[in-house]
Amino acid sequence: MMDGALADQGELRIGADGEWYWEGNHITRSDVLSIFVHHLERHQDGSYWVSYKGQSYPVTVEDVPFWAEAVEEVKANGAPAGLKVRLKGGREVELPEGTIELAADGTPYLSLFGVRDTKLSRSAYWQLSRYLVPPEVKSEADSAGGKAPFPGSDAELQQQAWGGEEQPPDGALRKAPSGGWRVECGGRVWPVVPISFSPPSTPPHGQG
């Protein structure tokens, strides 16, 4: 798609829905998406480019350049040691230190390579919510004994945080603006912080 004369014309775009488009046409080939996502770079001026085999092509980004399709545990010697994110296109990145930011409409943003550069699909949003810890629950580092559904937490308090459900409901992260909420796994903590930023109008928390 970037070979020859084609690289000199047309628009390559990441829509507000997280999908990739070439001249308005939806890109669905997994091999092409993988190349684009693995070679997407942010320049110092804030623009995004796909750089591949000596060629660079600009990318129009309507909201964020990266979309998480899954959130999974990182294991060390068989025990949880953190979280990793699998992006659209198959690229995997360990969730770095920092905060998880909630936009005005409750949409969570991750900062993987830059500030607020990643949004979550519905399935990734649900998976991240499994590690959401309310402020009244002690941190994993302060807890001893057996492992509860929230790392180091009390199962009853967890269900209270999820409205009595055994699994996190859609929108669980919306509780976070009340203060003190966090995502926790393997002794690592990511505070959940509300921000005033309002994202473009999209399906809630992506698709899938």
Side-chain angles (χ1 to χ4, degrees), residues 122-140:
R122 285 189 178 275
S123 58
Y125 176 85
W126 183 89
Q127 291 161 354
L128 183 66
S129 293
R130 293 182 59 195
Y131 301 95
L132 184 65
V133 183
E136 63 267 28
V137 176
K138 290 183 178 181
S139 69
E140 183 177 358

Side-chain angles (χ1 to χ4, degrees), residues 6-199:
L6 191 59
D8 297 325
Q9 59 185 351
E11 180 193 45
L12 183 60
R13 174 173 59 90
I14 304 173
D17 58 359
E19 300 297 324
W20 286 71
Y21 298 88
W22 176 264
E23 281 296 272
N25 298 310
H26 186 202
I27 300 172
T28 58
R29 283 181 51 180
S30 59
D31 57 337
V32 173
L33 285 174
S34 180
I35 290 174
F36 286 171
V37 173
H38 280 81
H39 295 87
L40 183 62
E41 301 174 348
R42 183 179 186 273
H43 288 191
Q44 289 186 348
D45 63 0
S47 62
Y48 285 90
W49 296 70
V50 171
S51 298
Y52 183 63
K53 291 187 175 180
Q55 296 188 66
S56 292
Y57 198 80
V59 181
T60 299
V61 178
E62 292 186 350
D63 187 4
V64 296
F66 301 104
W67 283 72
E69 293 189 326
V71 176
E72 303 167 346
E73 286 188 0
V74 175
K75 300 286 188 179
N77 298 320
L83 295 171
K84 65 179 178 180
V85 176
R86 177 163 47 82
L87 301 172
K88 180 185 291 292
R91 186 175 181 178
E92 292 189 353
V93 182
E94 189 168 343
L95 186 59
E97 299 292 339
T99 60
I100 296 170
E101 296 180 303
L102 284 183
D105 68 347
T107 300
Y109 281 81
L110 307 180
S111 298
L112 296 185
F113 308 100
V115 177
R116 291 192 298 276
D117 61 359
T118 306
K119 289 174 72 172
L120 306 171
S121 68
R122 285 189 178 275
S123 58
Y125 176 85
W126 183 89
Q127 291 161 354
L128 183 66
S129 293
R130 293 182 59 195
Y131 301 95
L132 184 65
V133 183
E136 63 267 28
V137 176
K138 290 183 178 181
S139 69
E140 183 177 358
D142 295 334
S143 302
K147 184 177 180 181
F150 272 147
S153 73
D154 180 83
E156 182 177 350
L157 283 176
Q158 173 187 304
Q159 291 187 28
Q160 290 176 7
W162 290 342
E165 300 294 330
E166 293 185 357
Q167 300 292 344
D170 188 29
L173 280 172
R174 292 177 186 270
K175 292 177 176 288
S178 61
W181 290 71
R182 64 196 184 274
V183 167
E184 186 171 330
C185 181
R188 300 181 64 185
V189 177
W190 298 267
V192 181
V193 179
I195 56 176
S196 58
F197 173 78
S198 295

